[in-house]
Amino acid sequence: MRRGTLVATGGCFDLLHPGHLSLLQRARALGDSLVVCLNSDASVARAKGAERPVMPAADRAQLLKALDCVDDVVIFDEDTPTKAIERLRPDIWVKGSDYAEAGMPETPTVRACGGRVMILSTIAGYSSTNLIKAAKPAGGDGTRRIFGRNHSGAHDRPGSPRTSISPSIQRPSARTEQESS
């Protein structure tokens, strides 16, 4: 018999970023353990396109398991983690505010298992999709855009929503392939 409150969440976690970390830490604070339901490589490709995932499931799972706030990772191959939810029977299912409880396919399964859904706010400007786009060369100038900053660390547009990212987050300067040769 399980003791304590089991919290679960799910996603691709293709490139782990501070937005993921914040959500996972706050999800873990809601209970006694946190299990991440991780999309398999095939599941990510179906959801995000043939160029995804950037990192294989084993690597994504290893990074997630290394976080103090994550107690376990379950990889699922379906389009949604409903089968994993049926097995885990979490007390709380957490998703970020980029989702709506009513529209999530997991909601009926969580409720049928006696759990509840909680939507937690996300940090504006962070997404794996945007990070992947930012890592690709922008235009012909050879610079790369990373979370609203150019390669020198200067803000792209003063006052843009992405410039409000915590200054305590240190980002290495992106380098072009020519610079690293």
Side-chain angles (χ1 to χ4, degrees):
M1 183 164 173
R2 179 175 81 203
R3 293 182 185 200
T5 300
L6 175 62
V7 181
T9 190
C12 300
F13 297 94
D14 200 4
L15 291 178
L16 202 57
H17 56 69
H20 288 138
L21 181 59
S22 172
L23 183 79
L24 293 169
Q25 289 172 329
R26 289 179 293 131
R28 176 61 172 81
L30 296 171
D32 299 300
S33 59
L34 174 64
V35 176
V36 176
C37 297
L38 182 68
N39 292 73
S40 70
D41 295 342
S43 179
V44 173
R46 287 191 304 271
K48 303 286 186 176
E51 293 186 4
R52 302 278 297 272
V54 173
M55 293 191 312
D59 291 349
R60 292 181 282 127
Q62 181 181 10
L63 287 171
L64 288 166
K65 286 179 183 178
L67 299 175
D68 289 339
C69 57
V70 175
D71 295 291
D72 202 3
V73 175
V74 174
I75 298 172
F76 67 93
D77 196 41
E78 300 78 23
D79 292 338
T80 67
T82 53
K83 288 182 182 177
I85 291 168
E86 288 172 349
R87 287 191 309 273
L88 292 169
R89 303 182 67 80
D91 299 295
I92 303 170
W93 176 255
V94 171
K95 288 298 278 186
S97 57
D98 47 338
Y99 291 88
E101 181 177 347
M104 285 191 307
E106 301 94 335
T107 297
T109 305
V110 171
R111 289 182 180 158
C113 293
R116 61 187 169 117
V117 174
M118 291 191 69
I119 305 295
L120 301 182
S121 62
T122 56
I123 299 174
Y126 283 105
S127 82
S128 294
T129 299
N130 289 343
L131 181 58
I132 292 165
K133 287 178 186 176
K136 294 180 180 180
D141 65 358
T143 61
R144 295 175 190 259
R145 308 287 182 227
I146 301 190
F147 292 120
R149 296 173 184 264
N150 65 27
H151 69 284
S152 68
H155 294 294
D156 288 336
R157 295 181 316 270
S160 74
R162 290 197 258 177
T163 61
S164 63
I165 296 169
S166 170
S168 66
I169 298 171
Q170 298 297 314
R171 293 181 192 83
S173 296
R175 296 172 53 188
T176 65
E177 290 179 11
Q178 291 173 335
E179 291 173 331
S180 62
S181 303

